Amino acid sequence: MKKTLLLFLSCFTLYAKTLTVDSCIEAALQNHPDIKRLSLSSLQSGSLVDIAKADYLPQLNLNAQYNPHNTFTLQQNGTFNTIEDDNFIAEAKVTQKIYDFSKTASTIEAYEKNKNVTALSLEEAKSLLAFSVKNLYNKALFQTKALKTRQKDIETKEELYKQAEALVREGLKTKADASSMLSALYNAKDAYATTKAELDKAVATLFLYMGEEADLSVTLEENAPTTLQSANALDTIFAKNPSLLGLSEQITRDTLLYNASKAANYGSVDAVASYTYQDSLSKYDTSMLGIGINIPLYSGGRLSAQNEYTRIEKEKTKESYKAKKLQLEEQTLTLIADLKRYKATIEAKEALINSSLATKEIVEARYKEGLSTYIEVLDAATTHLQAQLGLLEARFALQNIQNNLEYLQGEKK
């Protein structure tokens, strides 16, 4: 029976789903609605370029009008006579823009830049999603390791409780020893349950990002250790950060829109051709070919207001770019400082684990001989446990910092 059970467990472990951080990121990028929405926005921005380019092409319009009842007035021998008849007019008109002081050219360039802006917004969203997934994956790994540590702590507390009961029966310890060890055991089990709940929440949220049904029994593959060079991190972030690059493109876009708005004040020169057929009392047609000049003399202040709006928009974007650059610099310097701090913390925690383990073993041995109290035993066990958890937390924080630096650099893996 035992062999059958072991075989079943080994087969279950073999076929249990295993996740990697790369597979989680890939699934999230494919299924997350924000990425799909921004992908559609990126495609949509290309239509604006086509709309602007249409102004360079001939514009053909066909107009027709039919009036079944129309009154015509005719003068005959000094008197006016009215005739009622139907009326039909059809006109085909073609206009071709010749020159508009670069208004159309500036608008086309502006929308091409806007296309770049939306593409960079999509890249920023992908980087942010990858960063969130990596942090969730990292948290789930941390809780998995913390769960194993707390399981060992439960086993230690159970062994101490059994020893205490045995010593009480032999008259070497009091009931207070056994009660304290039992309380410590229950506290360890409670901490284990809390850690298990945090692990389940992290895994469930990870599957939500991936767009899949949650599987709490999933196995997480250990991340390969990564080390970022922090010396030139700020220069790399300034050169690659999608948000900053997007704001730079926005400045160019808003400048071009401002130039197009100013050009609208000067009007345009258009080639015009038309053909008109009219049937009203008599049938005749007319045709026209020439050049038209359109100069806006008065628009109720609309053009000047539009100029001011686009000018202010351009200045706002410039200030947004400066603010974003300052924010990135502050974040990067803070992350690099924390990076150094946690590296030192990890070294200290590793040393503390070794020393606390030695102390724990000595105190437990002395306790068996009746040379130390249960308080000393529990304090030594707690110190060792906190050192182990502290090391896991420091490594978790260090990985999060590296993930954050990768996000600021626009990394998606």
Side-chain angles (χ1 to χ4, degrees), residues 231-257:
N232 300 319
L234 191 58
D235 293 336
T236 305
I237 288 170
F238 285 163
K240 294 184 177 181
N241 183 264
S243 292
L244 194 64
L245 294 176
L247 286 169
S248 179
E249 291 288 279
Q250 283 187 46
I251 291 173
T252 306
R253 179 201 65 185
D254 292 345
T255 301
L256 289 167
L257 289 175

Side-chain angles (χ1 to χ4, degrees), residues 13 30 54 160 200 290 349:
T13 304
Q30 288 179 353
L160 289 174
D200 290 346
K349 293 296 182 182

